[in-house]
Each structure stands twice: as structure tokens, then as C-alpha cells.
Amino acid sequence: TTARIMTMMMMMMTTSYNVEELVDAAMGLRPMPTAPSLLGMPVVPLTPAMPTALDIANAALAAAFPCQTRVLVLLNMVSDEDLQTDQDHAELLEEVKEECAKFGNLLTIQIPRKAENGVEASAIKKIYLEYATVQDSAKAEKELKGRKFGPNVVQTNFYPEEDYQAGKLK
């Protein structure tokens, strides 16, 4: 019955958190909330066997955003003219880098010009942005999705980090 009591206490502890506050705390938007008091008892420090508020916040983030990665792909931003010369390509890279760095720590950017070395033809005219954290890429996605870029509306997708790191662009 001790295990049953522990299970009930764990359920009460995890369900008594405000998930929105935990997600905001995990994203750095507010301080981490303190553990709630159970049944009017004083707050007891969490032991390693019990989940911490950060563990619960990370689980809430994973549940709320299951498909997000650190790599964001932008669609409908690149024209044939942007890829014709090295200078045009370099100017586009610089313009996109400058704008997208506003949303977080932008580590790398790739705008493939031709299919080779793991880059498939379907990757041409896409912009791949690698951010330091999922929160940075999520912020960029929120700001860029639906934005007008010339005559086009920007679309976004998250991309598997493993494929990006391996140079497999689709």
C-alpha cells in the first residue's frame, strides 16, 4: 500500500501543476514555479526518484510540440533568379541570415542550389535554418509562417535534425 500512496501522491503532484506555466518556464518566459503543496502539507523538496518541475515542464513541451526540431525549413522564399549567380545566392543568404537571426541563436543556414552530395532535387529553393534550441526554431516558425515575401506567402516545416546533420536534404 505504500506504493499505492506514492502513486497517488505522484499523480496529485503532477496534475496540480499549471502546464502553461511549466511550458512558459521551460521556454524561459517566466521563472520556474515552485512545487505545489499537497493536501495542505508543507512543501517537501523533491527527491531524485520524483520528477522535478523541470522534468514535468520538459514532458509538457514534448507533448505539446511533438514534431518540432532545431531545424526549420522555409518554403516559397527562393526564386530561380536568387540561385542564378554566386552573388545572388550570397545576397539571399545574407538577407535571410540577418532576418532569421532575430528569432534566436541561428547556427547554420543552407540554401541548396543543385542536387548533389545528399541534396535531393526537392531541396532546391528551400531554406534550411538550424537553431541552437527547439524554442528558437519554434519562435522563428511562429514569426515567419504566413509572412509575405515578395508575392509569396512563406510556409514552414520542421526537419529531422539527424538528416540535416548528415547532409541529407530533401
Side-chain angles (χ1 to χ4, degrees):
T1 63
T2 302
R4 186 174 185 194
I5 292 171
M6 286 298 288
T7 301
M8 287 176 47
M9 288 193 62
M10 289 292 288
M11 286 178 52
M12 289 171 54
M13 182 176 218
T14 57
T15 58
S16 59
Y17 280 97
N18 180 324
V19 174
E20 288 182 21
E21 285 182 10
L22 291 171
V23 170
D24 287 349
M27 294 177 77
L29 302 175
R30 65 168 40 159
M32 187 60 70
T34 58
S37 175
L38 302 175
L39 304 174
M41 300 172 68
V43 175
V44 178
L46 301 175
T47 65
M50 299 174 80
T52 65
L54 185 57
D55 294 333
I56 295 167
N58 285 333
L61 272 174
F65 308 109
C67 300
Q68 292 182 341
T69 67
R70 294 181 312 109
V71 180
L72 184 65
V73 180
L74 306 179
L75 306 152
N76 293 336
M77 286 186 61
V78 181
S79 68
D80 290 331
E81 294 80 31
D82 292 324
L83 303 177
Q84 283 183 344
T85 68
D86 290 342
Q87 181 179 351
D88 292 334
H89 185 256
E91 288 173 1
L92 177 63
L93 269 170
E94 188 57 38
E95 182 182 345
V96 171
K97 180 179 179 181
E98 185 178 309
E99 181 64 21
C100 294
K102 295 176 184 177
F103 309 119
N105 186 4
L106 183 61
L107 301 178
T108 63
I109 179 173
Q110 291 191 49
I111 306 176
R113 293 173 73 180
K114 54 186 164 185
E116 63 182 8
N117 301 328
V119 177
E120 295 182 13
S122 61
I124 309 304
K125 294 189 181 180
K126 293 181 182 177
I127 299 175
Y128 296 81
L129 306 171
E130 178 189 23
Y131 284 92
T133 67
V134 172
Q135 290 82 5
D136 289 344
S137 65
K139 182 177 179 186
E141 192 261 352
K142 180 181 176 188
E143 295 294 328
L144 295 168
K145 185 176 188 175
R147 183 186 280 194
K148 293 279 278 182
F149 191 79
N152 300 320
V153 176
V154 177
Q155 295 177 358
T156 61
N157 292 316
F158 289 96
Y159 194 75
E161 293 177 32
E162 303 79 28
D163 289 349
Y164 184 81
Q165 295 299 328
K168 297 178 185 174
L169 303 181
K170 304 176 192 178

